[in-house]
Amino acid sequence: MLQAACITDQNFGNYASRPCKVSSAHSSCPFRPSLYLRNAAKPRKSMRRVPSMSVSKSRSSSVPGASAGEDDNDVAFAGRNDLRPTFDTSPQATSKGSKSFFTVFGLQPSPELLSISMVYFVQGILGLARLAISFFYKDEFQLDPATVAILTGLGAAPWVVKPVYGFLSDTVPIFGYRRRSYLIICGLLGTVSWTALATIVQTPSMAVAMVVLGSLGTACSDVVVDSIVVERSRGEPQSTAGSLQSLCWASSAVGGIASAYFSGALVEAYGPRGVFGLTALFPLMVSLSAVFISEQPVISSARHKRGSGSGEQDEAESGGLLATEVSAPPEVLKKRLASQVNALWGAIRQRSIFLPAVFVFLWQATPSADTAMFFFQTNHLHFSAEFLGRVRLVGSIASLAGVGTYNYLLKDVALTKMFFWTAVLGTGLGLTQLILITGINQQWGLSNELFVLGDSLVLTVLGQVSFMPVLVLAARLCPEGVEATLFATLMSVLNGGAFAGSTLGALLTKSFGVTSEDFTNLAPLVTVCTLSSLLPLPLLRMLPQGSTTEQIQSNNDQESESA
């Protein structure tokens, strides 16, 4: 089906080959759920509770932390709002108690605020290498479209297990920190991977390994910085939380648009390896930003017990240990993991959650001919990397237009109606690619470049509009107690579906005999992939009944209460 930008980036190409992967060419960060959707997709607290769910939401945006009422030695810092950094937006703070005379999205500038925005900016700017990877596989290794589709799809693997990163960050501190250390390591992983791609990688298998390593760093840093944002937003006025979310969105959008603007020209001027070398510098900014994140260190529970019974007690009373979080012993970690699994299973087995999750997976898993279209544009139409970069730029701006269209005109439309009509319209518009393949556009006096720009613009807007309800539905399905864990799991389901769609597309490309030089069967391939977007429509009945997301959640509340 039509899909939003970063979730389904399967080919690192620059022109959507069909509506169901419409934004794959324009996303700002490899395999990352778009920050354009952050506010709409944020899980909302409901009034219901799922039986046997006692998971606390004290420390993570992706996986909850310790259960409420855990051992006293488990957490000595959780809930200490007096010690948690906050963003003061009052006029008094800006005019009297601060050296700053301006605000950013209503927030008083601080080193930590700059660090958070920098991490999101890097996630957007990493799209700089998207085109380079496509050309790297195609030109450096002389791979065929089907193989490139599979290899690029493998790069999404780290995004399928996002809840694992959240749980590790919440429960396993590294060098005494739960957030800083992970961000530093993630940045270093990214730098190592891109540097290797720029220098020592000589085989496709090595290239895939490095892409997966870089994707791992980006996915993990995404989870960690999201958790930091949630922690800083907790207890703040809605306006402050909204301002912080807006800053995150804007930072990523700026990075994404900048990467789209420069990506093609840089590939043209310096080649893929030169772009990889430049890209390797940006993850270091994540590692550097981690230094300015305000976080109390974590000590072992054994050391805490020793300190409580010795002279260190004075230090604890004076703020030494009390201002520090105490790590949980192994038995508590096992208990917490079991609680996570039980709570998650209790939510997923509900019919109102399981069936929509299946539908969302199938919605994402329809095949794509993106990679075949990329080869057609570069090898047959001879589009330059610079032009494809312009197409990415148009797509990035169109994504913003799609978000605005949904937010102001369509957010109250019934989800089933939205899915149905975007699929029908997307299929019709997706078939217009046959005009480009057959050359009919030139008979009409439209150049290939102009046709691609216009078609990409329309398809990307529609793709973004169609995907917004997917994330909204996922957010509304999350019951209280496992909002973060379940939402992260649903996002993993989305990414898993996108990977399945990429694999199916690669198999179809191989079956139709489309190669880097033979595009005889490209039109039938695109037709089959585009029409497959209609296959999940009979399954719309699997979605909760209701005309709006509010009614859907009300129905889910009733089911939970009856359970």
Side-chain angles (χ1 to χ4, degrees), residues 400-440:
L400 298 179
V403 172
T405 300
Y406 175 83
N407 188 60
Y408 291 104
L409 300 177
L410 301 171
K411 63 182 178 182
D412 293 325
V413 177
L415 292 182
T416 52
K417 184 181 295 185
M418 280 285 296
F419 283 128
F420 178 82
W421 285 110
T422 53
V424 172
L425 292 175
T427 299
L429 291 173
L431 291 174
T432 60
Q433 294 172 103
L434 298 177
I435 297 175
L436 178 69
I437 296 172
T438 58
I440 296 177

Side-chain angles (χ1 to χ4, degrees), residues 152-166:
T152 53
L154 289 174
W159 289 91
V160 179
V161 290
K162 284 184 64 177
V164 175
Y165 314 139

Side-chain angles (χ1 to χ4, degrees), residues 60-383:
S60 173
S61 68
S62 295
V63 179
S67 299
E70 204 65 87
D71 191 308
D72 290 340
N73 288 334
D74 181 16
V75 177
F77 176 73
R80 291 289 304 270
N81 290 330
D82 56 319
L83 298 174
R84 177 175 51 81
T86 58
F87 299 109
D88 194 347
T89 58
S90 64
Q92 293 82 358
T94 303
S95 60
K96 296 180 181 181
S98 172
K99 297 180 181 180
S100 175
F101 296 96
F102 66 94
T103 60
V104 180
F105 288 97
L107 300 171
Q108 183 181 350
S110 67
E112 183 181 59
L113 189 65
L114 177 62
S115 298
I116 291 174
S117 63
M118 188 58 63
V119 174
Y120 285 111
F121 171 80
V122 170
Q123 290 178 348
I125 199 66
L126 286 180
L128 192 68
R130 181 153 292 101
L131 265 180
I133 290 178
S134 293
F135 281 100
F136 192 57
Y137 285 143
K138 183 178 77 73
D139 298 333
E140 183 88 4
F141 300 124
Q142 299 293 314
L143 300 178
D144 61 85
T147 304
V148 171
I150 293 177
L151 295 184
T152 53
L154 289 174
W159 289 91
V160 179
V161 290
K162 284 184 64 177
V164 175
Y165 314 139
F167 180 79
L168 289 175
S169 176
D170 282 341
T171 58
V172 184
I174 299 178
F175 301 119
Y177 291 94
R178 301 184 188 275
R179 311 302 184 206
R180 284 183 182 175
S181 298
Y182 280 90
L183 286 178
I184 292 173
I185 293 174
C186 289
L188 294 178
L189 286 178
T191 296
V192 168
S193 66
W194 294 115
T195 300
L197 284 167
T199 55
I200 65 174
V201 168
Q202 299 297 333
T203 64
S205 58
M206 289 181 62
V208 172
M210 291 301 100
V211 170
V212 171
L213 183 64
S215 185
L216 172 63
T218 305
C220 185
S221 66
D222 173 54
V223 172
V224 173
V225 75
D226 280 350
S227 69
I228 295 173
V229 170
V230 170
E231 289 172 348
R232 301 305 183 259
S233 300
R234 187 180 298 117
E236 297 292 343
Q238 181 176 344
S239 59
T240 301
S243 296
L244 186 55
Q245 294 289 345
S246 297
L247 177 64
C248 298
W249 169 84
S251 300
S252 179
V254 169
I257 292 175
S259 71
Y261 182 81
F262 292 106
S263 59
L266 289 174
V267 171
E268 192 104 341
Y270 302 104
R273 290 188 184 270
V275 175
F276 295 153
L278 177 61
T279 305
L281 299 176
F282 294 107
L284 290 177
M285 299 169 65
V286 175
S287 299
L288 179 62
S289 298
V291 177
F292 299 98
I293 297 295
S294 298
E295 181 183 7
Q296 299 296 334
V298 178
I299 63 172
S300 66
S301 56
R303 178 185 169 190
H304 176 59
K305 291 179 180 179
R306 292 197 303 268
S308 298
S310 65
E312 295 181 20
Q313 181 67 29
D314 294 336
E315 179 185 355
E317 293 177 353
S318 64
L321 290 177
L322 289 180
T324 303
E325 189 174 349
V326 182
S327 64
E331 58 271 16
V332 175
L333 293 180
K334 293 180 181 179
K335 180 179 179 181
R336 187 179 301 168
L337 177 60
S339 177
Q340 294 275 352
V341 173
N342 291 334
L344 185 60
W345 173 245
I348 291 178
R349 67 183 180 181
Q350 293 185 31
R351 180 182 177 88
S352 61
I353 295 177
F354 175 75
L355 292 181
V358 173
F359 172 81
V360 166
F361 176 85
L362 296 175
W363 180 269
Q364 295 289 98
T366 50
S368 165
D370 287 352
T371 305
M373 283 299 298
F374 170 75
F375 275 76
F376 176 74
Q377 296 155 22
T378 54
N379 290 359
H380 184 76
L381 300 181
H382 303 292
F383 286 170

